[in-house]
Amino acid sequence: MFSFPVFLESFWPLIWAARYTLLISVLGIGLGLVIGALICAARLSPYAALRRFAAVWVSFLRGVPLLVQLLVFYYTLPVIGLDVPATVAAVVTVGICASAYISEIWRGAIAALPKGQSEAALAIGMTPRDVWTRVVLPQAVTLSLPALINELILLVKASSLVSVVGILEITRASQAQAATTFRPLEVYIAAACIYLAINLCLAALGRYLEHRTAV
Amino acid sequence: MQASSVEIRKVNKFYGPFHALKDVDLNILPGKVTCLIGPSGSGKSTLLRCINFLEEYDSGEIRIDGQMMGYDAPGRKMSGRKLREMRRSIGMVFQQFNLWPHMTARENVAEGLIRVRGMGKAEAHERASAALTKVGLADKMENHPLRLSGGQQQRVAIARAIAMEPRLMLFDEPTSALDPELVGEVLNVMKTLAAEGMTMVVVTHEMGFAAHVADQVAFMEKGELVGVDTPDRILHQPADPRIQSFLRTYHERNSF
Ligand SMILES: Nc1ncnc2c1ncn2[C@@H]1O[C@H](COP(=O)(O)OP(=O)(O)OP(=O)(O)O)[C@@H](O)[C@H]1O
Ligand SMILES: [Mg+2]
């Protein structure tokens, strides 16, 4: 039978483990935003070689499951003589994987702006640089916010995969607890509740940002 | 006001294999209003956009106050800096307004003054306020574009252009996206500009405006400039059958 006290008790260790989930997804998206911006810039650059590199980057990372990317990255590091903690390897992998999706989100947002927006700026003699920083980017960033929050929610869920490299985030913590308490049902429902709570908060943040920046 | 002249000589423009402008010749005198009319797809927007080089022409010359637009010499494009220099004194108003939605009306007008003219923020906002007052929007300066009617948005767009103190204004169907009852307020602002001696090139389907405000009307069809003359001679006693047929269609569509 379902035991409510066991269910409540399993929360605390899992909430403690949630810090890894949050750490990996938030740092992961942070890194993804930076690399994603560079990849997007490469994709839109006038240099064919850069454009090709960015296209390959995106299709490779979108074509290989994150789990496999994690394992490849994690087992490659020692081979090339790098000894980094599992958390660092996880954040970097998640960030690199997210960069592919984020660069596409930004490319889409930029493409969605009507051409007239930049033409109006060029027509009064603005420099291409000002057109980007004053007209295109502010609008593209606003347009992309809902999709970026969505990407963050996906990362929170995908971060359960980093349990394979031994990080004690929510999923791995609940597996460990289920094994010691022999009460898997209560423990996994508690884990589900925590994921849900995190993502409902993020969704609310997304709606707030969307509402605030709507003109 | 200082007003520019525009000389267009044998201008050709291709989109791939498509010949969009065919040996177009047109003279625009300082302080005069030229209306460009013609059927859809005849190349009116293309010609207008060649004047400020938003569209590159392939051969011929467009000279503004004697200076060739876009090229240092035939086939040799001018530097970005020089192009921006020339564009500073040319205002453009688009059919879709193209206001920047993330800025208020006043910020829309001030942006060019700050970025292009290098003005301080306070001075730019003062000038922006003056320009907005001139187009009758003194009470709407803090509104974002989407909180304005189409007619008000287009007047902000005109204010954005005139705040830069241009010597030439280009209008591409400035009233075509507006509800009929909002057309008048925009045309009135344009009439005021014309009366102040601004050189204006206006692509329009407003034959009333062309008849009453234009100094000359140019008719285009299939990339050719078929005729240019006084409004009266183009609109009321056209010799060319292509103009006659265009006007007949126009009158049929506008009678009920
Ligand atoms: N970027 C482009 N690429 C290819 N063809 C184009 C492009 N822009 C315009 N054209 C073609 O050039 C011709 C002239 O277009 P233009 O927009 O100048 O016509 P217009 O006289 O302004 O028509 P409208 O009254 O519909 O605005 C059209 O046949 C159009 O399809
Ligand atoms: Mg047009």
Side-chain angles (χ1 to χ4, degrees), chain A residues 121-126, chain B residues 4-7 50-54 57 61-73 76-92 116-117 164-170:
Chain A
L122 291 172
I124 55 173
M126 270 163 81
Chain B
S4 291
S5 65
V6 184
E7 288 169 72
C50 281
I51 296 176
N52 67 355
F53 217 62
L54 277 184
Y57 52 99
E61 294 183 358
I62 294 180
R63 290 183 177 276
I64 296 168
D65 296 327
Q67 160 121 48
M68 182 142 61
M69 183 55 165
Y71 298 98
D72 283 329
R76 205 176 70 226
K77 247 187 261 171
M78 62 172 42
S79 68
R81 172 186 293 269
K82 211 163 158 197
L83 178 60
R84 291 195 293 277
E85 191 67 37
M86 289 189 73
R87 280 176 175 166
R88 271 166 64 153
S89 53
I90 306 173
M92 185 168 212
V116 180
R117 301 275 299 264
M164 301 290 291
E165 300 177 321
R167 298 195 293 268
L168 164 67
M169 286 281 291
L170 310 174

Side-chain angles (χ1 to χ4, degrees), chain B residues 15 18 20 38-47 55 95 172-173 203 205:
Chain B
Y15 290 112
F18 180 73
S40 182
S42 55
K44 307 181 295 295
S45 299
T46 304
L47 179 61
E55 218 63 79
Q95 181 174 353
D172 194 354
E173 300 197 35
V203 175
H205 293 295

Side-chain angles (χ1 to χ4, degrees), chain A residues 112-138:
Chain A
L113 281 190
K115 217 167 138 239
Q117 285 290 307
S118 44
E119 284 181 350
L122 291 172
I124 55 173
M126 270 163 81
T127 60
R129 185 200 149 114
D130 281 343
V131 174
W132 273 95
T133 58
R134 303 293 303 168
V135 175
V136 177
L137 289 182

